[in-house]
Amino acid sequence: MNRNKTLWSLWRQNAETFPDREAIVHWSVGEEPIRWKWFDLINKARSFGRRLYENGIRQGEVCALIIRHNPDFYPLYMGIVAIGAIPAVLAYPNPRLHPDKFKAGLRGMSVHSGLDWILTESELAPQIRSLACEEGTTVRAILTPLENLERLEEPDIPEVAVSADQVCLLQHSSGTTGLQKAVALSHRTVIAHLENLAAAIKLESSDKIVSWLPLYHDMGLISSFHVPLGSNVPLVQMDPFEWVLAPSTLWEVIHEERGAVLWMPNFAFNILADRTREEDIEGFRFDSVRMLINCSEPVRKESIDRFLTRFAAYGIRPESMAASYAMAEVTFAATQTVPGKPPTILAVDRNVLAGGYAVPPNSDSPVRHCVSSGIPIPGCDLQIIDEQGNVLGEDRVGEIQIASESMFTGYRNRPDLTAEVLQKDWYASGDFGFVHDGEYYVIGRKKDLIIVAGKNLYPEDIEDAVSGIAGVLAGRVIAFGYEDIDLGTERVALVAETALTDRSELEKLIREIVETVMALDITLSKVILVVPRWLVKSSAGKPSRSATQARIAGNADNTGILLIQTFGNGGD
């Protein structure tokens, strides 16, 4: 790829070279897939660009897209880029997103991210207008460009001079929606990343990328939209919420379309293993899958094992399993495991790991299995540092820092937050990890570390153990620390979702949870059992510890809470 190009010129070149090649397959359950060829896609993008320009949108202005699964989303997004404006894909109202969280998030981004225009559907416009056009926001107007498509102008857009160093997109870093930070990336930065990531996974023209990921998250937007478009590799895009309702539809798509490369967060591997019925995949084969890349949250050995056990008979091979470490601030990926080789799984002494060293366990030591996220992708470098900023050697636990030619230059309109994480060309990730034999292992978030009487506890260890208990919804567990002023240290609380409702069964489940965690040499002071879908999720679809704590603190009437038990003067 020519890094002096813009995204629009790259897409236009693909359309000119391969006009009849499939670019995007838009998949909806029960409907015939809509197949965008490059010629049609680029012409529709030009038409949308003309419509947007005539509505007053100009170069450098930010256009937020709040649009559900729609075949015209793709050319609309491309049309924004075509006229030199800046697309920013935001979450749309949906059953999985609490209405208050959506309101707070949209309001916050309208004030802080410098949004100029909001492009949405006519059905959503009234709700969005009431939130985004209040005093204090930068939003000029809300447009509904998907209406009256039969009146779209001819594919003719004004000539706009855009350089490779100008901003081409705005993506919001993962987190509780209201706290998301806007990351601005240039054409040069994104194209460099597309080239480096494609090299890391050895992407080939014969590959086909399949995705159910929402495009308002960096994993969906970059890996499963920009990578295929920039590399001229077909994308099959599913509706994220159809997948949530019926996860096994992914297997139908992979079987029918011969999907080769997929990115998914760890929890999705659990869901597929647990919720795919035999009759859903009878007669299917998945031999076409070359890479299933586990990304966006710590990779669990147990998840990999369950997934392989469940689908080995259908053609999923151990060597197709992969892992990556990624974040919006470096466009997407920082590391990637080697294609054709399963991720390395390292057994370490869990107690010694809590003290800052990754060492093999003794015969009687508690074991933690750490899964490698691979080696740095081309154009990227990583280091592990201690609290004083000293670079640590192999097998020493510290904060992961990243330097990349695909690095962002700062959070939009937030120089204060930028200064906290950018240090002499290194991005401070806030993640704890270590390097072993050149491979990087991510073990937890710095801000989530629990310290009890001077002992470091990783909430992931507690959550993984409890997720395996019958009656607990796997992956729907949150552990966190809270301050005990009288003791002068933290205590450990746990929240778990369950479908149980009988009081005696709930009490028995809490006993099992406490005993399971005690086996880790950890004492729980509070256990809270809640109904399914109670935990607050981040924009990446993962349960959020901080947001869940805030919900507990503000839930005066205990809505959705089935049972709370405290132990050892653990507080109310």
Side-chain angles (χ1 to χ4, degrees):
M1 296 180 193
N2 185 342
R3 298 183 183 182
N4 292 315
K5 285 181 173 289
T6 65
L7 287 174
W8 177 249
S9 62
L10 179 62
W11 297 336
R12 193 175 59 199
Q13 178 183 316
N14 287 342
E16 292 169 353
T17 308
F18 303 99
D20 296 323
R21 182 178 173 86
E22 278 188 359
I24 300 174
V25 179
H26 180 83
W27 188 284
S28 296
V29 173
E31 299 178 11
E32 191 67 24
I34 296 173
R35 301 182 181 274
W36 281 107
K37 293 186 177 180
W38 269 108
F39 177 83
D40 299 321
L41 183 64
I42 210 76
N43 280 341
K44 192 69 169 286
R46 286 190 174 106
S47 295
F48 272 124
R50 166 60 66 181
R51 171 172 285 190
L52 298 175
Y53 190 84
E54 290 178 347
N55 274 277
I57 297 176
R58 294 294 181 265
Q59 182 175 353
E61 295 177 351
V62 179
C63 298
L65 294 112
I66 304 179
I67 294 173
R68 293 169 293 191
H69 189 58
N70 190 302
D72 286 308
F73 169 90
Y74 321 110
L76 176 60
Y77 182 102
M78 296 167 73
I80 296 170
V81 177
I83 60 173
I86 303 169
V89 186
L90 305 185
Y92 43 82
N94 63 76
R96 312 289 289 189
L97 182 61
H98 194 280
D100 291 340
K101 184 180 173 187
F102 173 75
K103 293 174 185 177
L106 180 57
R107 170 70 182 175
M109 287 182 278
S110 297
V111 172
H112 298 298
S113 297
L115 307 181
D116 295 298
W117 307 85
I118 292 182
L119 312 184
T120 189
E121 306 165 46
S122 56
E123 183 181 336
L124 302 178
Q127 178 182 359
I128 291 168
R129 184 172 288 108
S130 65
L131 300 172
C133 293
E134 299 176 358
E135 184 179 351
T137 75
T138 59
V139 176
R140 302 183 192 182
I142 294 176
L143 305 177
T144 52
L146 300 183
E147 293 183 315
N148 302 316
L149 294 182
E150 70 280 358
R151 299 180 188 173
L152 270 181
E153 299 291 335
E154 290 297 314
D156 177 35
I157 56 174
E159 290 294 329
V160 179
V162 180
S163 79
D165 293 312
Q166 289 179 284
V167 174
C168 70
L169 66 88
L170 207 63
Q171 61 178 355
H172 287 79
S173 64
S174 300
T176 306
T177 305
L179 303 178
Q180 287 180 288
K181 302 173 287 290
V183 175
L185 300 170
S186 71
H187 293 268
R188 188 186 305 279
T189 295
V190 172
I191 289 176
H193 193 76
L194 303 184
E195 180 178 15
N196 291 333
L197 182 54
I201 65 172
K202 298 181 180 178
L203 193 64
E204 302 174 357
S205 60
S206 58
D207 284 330
K208 185 175 279 189
I209 293 172
V210 173
S211 176
W212 56 264
L213 300 170
L215 295 175
Y216 54 76
H217 184 254
D218 57 303
M219 180 161 57
L221 183 65
I222 301 300
S223 74
S224 303
F225 183 73
H226 278 285
V227 166
L229 282 182
S231 304
N232 195 16
V233 171
L235 162 68
V236 184
Q237 179 66 45
M238 302 171 60
D239 184 333
F241 295 98
E242 288 184 348
W243 179 84
V244 168
L245 292 172
S248 61
T249 55
L250 176 64
W251 296 122
E252 179 186 356
V253 174
I254 291 173
H255 174 76
E256 295 291 339
E257 298 289 338
R258 307 299 294 160
V261 180
L262 300 87
W263 282 263
M264 295 191 298
N266 188 84
F267 75 83
F269 289 82
N270 290 345
I271 288 175
L272 285 165
D274 294 342
R275 291 177 53 188
T276 299
R277 301 171 303 179
E278 205 63 33
E279 57 264 33
D280 294 332
I281 54 177
E282 185 178 357
F284 287 178
R285 294 297 302 174
F286 313 133
D287 308 85
S288 63
V289 175
R290 186 172 67 80
M291 292 189 81
L292 280 156
I293 304 172
N294 194 323
C295 185
S296 183
E297 60 181 335
V299 182
R300 265 76 169 185
K301 173 185 180 295
E302 295 76 12
S303 300
I304 294 175
D305 291 344
R306 286 165 62 191
F307 190 84
L308 286 174
T309 299
R310 179 67 182 87
F311 300 112
Y314 294 88
I316 296 296
R317 304 174 300 278
E319 59 268 27
S320 68
M321 304 301 287
S324 177
Y325 175 50
M327 69 280 314
E329 288 80 356
V330 295
T331 304
F332 178 57
T335 69
Q336 176 63 55
T337 54
V338 177
K341 177 185 174 186
T344 304
I345 298 176
L346 194 65
V348 301
D349 186 310
R350 184 173 54 78
N351 289 338
V352 178
L353 186 71
Y357 295 85
V359 301
N362 296 320
S363 58
D364 57 349
S365 301
V367 176
R368 175 169 177 175
H369 290 99
C370 300
V371 182
S372 169
S373 291
I375 60 177
I377 70 169
C380 194
D381 194 14
L382 282 77
Q383 64 183 17
I384 309 293
I385 64 165
D386 63 15
E387 289 292 337
Q388 290 72 45
N390 301 310
V391 178
L392 301 175
E394 289 215 343
D395 301 324
R396 292 288 307 279
V397 176
E399 183 177 5
I400 302 171
Q401 289 193 333
I402 304 118
S404 172
E405 61 185 23
S406 299
M407 184 97 76
F408 79 132
T409 55
Y411 297 118
R412 187 177 177 88
N413 299 329
R414 295 304 304 267
D416 54 332
L417 298 179
T418 300
E420 292 177 6
V421 298
L422 281 185
Q423 303 163 5
K424 297 180 180 179
D425 298 325
W426 289 90
Y427 167 67
S429 68
D431 291 319
F432 278 132
F434 63 91
V435 60
H436 178 83
D437 287 344
E439 297 187 46
Y440 285 82
Y441 295 76
V442 184
I443 60 174
R445 290 290 290 167
K446 186 176 180 180
K447 67 179 182 180
D448 293 330
L449 184 69
I450 305 169
I451 304 176
V452 178
K455 181 180 179 181
N456 293 340
L457 305 178
Y458 293 101
E460 291 85 358
D461 290 342
I462 304 170
E463 292 160 1
D464 287 350
V466 174
S467 283
I469 299 173
V472 173
L473 299 183
R476 306 294 297 171
V477 181
I478 287 289
F480 59 88
Y482 64 97
E483 193 71 23
D484 187 317
I485 297 175
D486 293 334
L487 283 180
T489 188
E490 285 190 298
R491 288 183 176 272
V492 184
L494 182 132
V495 187
E497 291 184 359
T498 179
L500 301 176
T501 56
D502 180 76
R503 174 82 184 200
S504 62
E505 291 183 337
L506 293 172
E507 291 176 344
K508 179 183 177 183
L509 181 58
I510 286 182
R511 289 195 297 271
E512 289 185 51
I513 289 172
V514 171
E515 291 170 1
T516 297
V517 176
M518 285 182 66
L520 302 176
D521 195 24
I522 297 171
T523 300
L524 290 176
S525 294
K526 183 182 295 185
V527 177
I528 304 172
L529 298 180
V530 297
V531 297
R533 295 176 59 183
W534 191 91
L535 295 178
V536 182
K537 289 185 176 183
S538 73
S539 63
K542 300 172 289 186
S544 169
R545 296 187 182 93
S546 59
T548 297
Q549 284 181 260
R551 183 173 188 187
I552 291 170
N555 193 10
D557 60 357
N558 288 345
T559 302
I561 294 178
L562 298 168
L563 184 61
I564 302 176
Q565 286 193 3
T566 58
F567 309 92
N569 298 318
D572 296 330

